[in-house]
Each structure stands twice: as C-alpha cells, then as structure tokens.
Amino acid sequence: MYSIGIIEIQGLVAAIEGLDAMLKAAQVRLVHTEKRLGGRLVTLIIVGNVSAVNAAVKAGEEAASALGKVYGCETIANPHPEVTKFFDMDIPNEN
C-alpha cells in the first residue's frame, strides 16, 4: 500500500529545503510540484509507503518552517484512484 504526502510552503527556497529534507529522511519519491505567485507558494507531492511518507512530511515541515511558513501538510494513506488524477500523478495501480 502506498500513500501520498502533501506539503504547501511559502517561498521557493524554503520549499527546496523542505524537499531536500523529505527525500533524505525516507524512501519517498517526488511526483508533483506546483508553484504559484511566482514561486512564493509551492506545493510538493511525494509518494511512498505510509511510514516513509509520514517521516518525510514531518522532516520537510520542520526544515521548511525554519525558512518560510508552512501552510499545510498531510499524509493520505491508500488514496482513492480519483485523488491521484487531481495531481496528474503517474502512480502504478497497486490494488
């Protein structure tokens, strides 16, 4: 079973710092990014198993909050296939 992790961060530099921390903290993969307002608001979506995504999101939130504001973060375990369409993610069907 896989899960997705979502984190929304103010500031491109803070987002990059958060992403680096997430990828180093656990075995996760970046599958989607969105930059709004010229990079002042960045959303990162990662995928992996539930425990890895939980650890990565926590590490990313901690690292990013040192440089910018974290507006939200969430882990969704075993997301419905329609949810992944929202992010245009290329995730193999494991069900």
Side-chain angles (χ1 to χ4, degrees), residues 54-78:
N54 278 330
V57 167
K58 183 177 179 180
E61 180 181 19
E62 186 176 306
S65 65
L67 296 173
K69 181 175 179 168
V70 176
Y71 284 104
C73 55
E74 187 64 44
T75 299
I76 301 173
N78 195 27

Side-chain angles (χ1 to χ4, degrees), residues 10-48:
Q10 177 183 8
L12 184 60
V13 173
I16 292 169
E17 183 71 19
L19 176 60
D20 184 58
M22 287 194 291
L23 296 174
K24 289 177 178 175
Q27 187 68 29
V28 295
R29 182 171 57 100
L30 177 68
V31 293
H32 188 78
T33 62
E34 288 197 23
K35 293 177 272 194
R36 301 283 184 228
L37 305 172
R40 290 177 288 177
L41 186 61
V42 180
T43 304
L44 305 169
I45 317 283
I46 58 170
V47 68

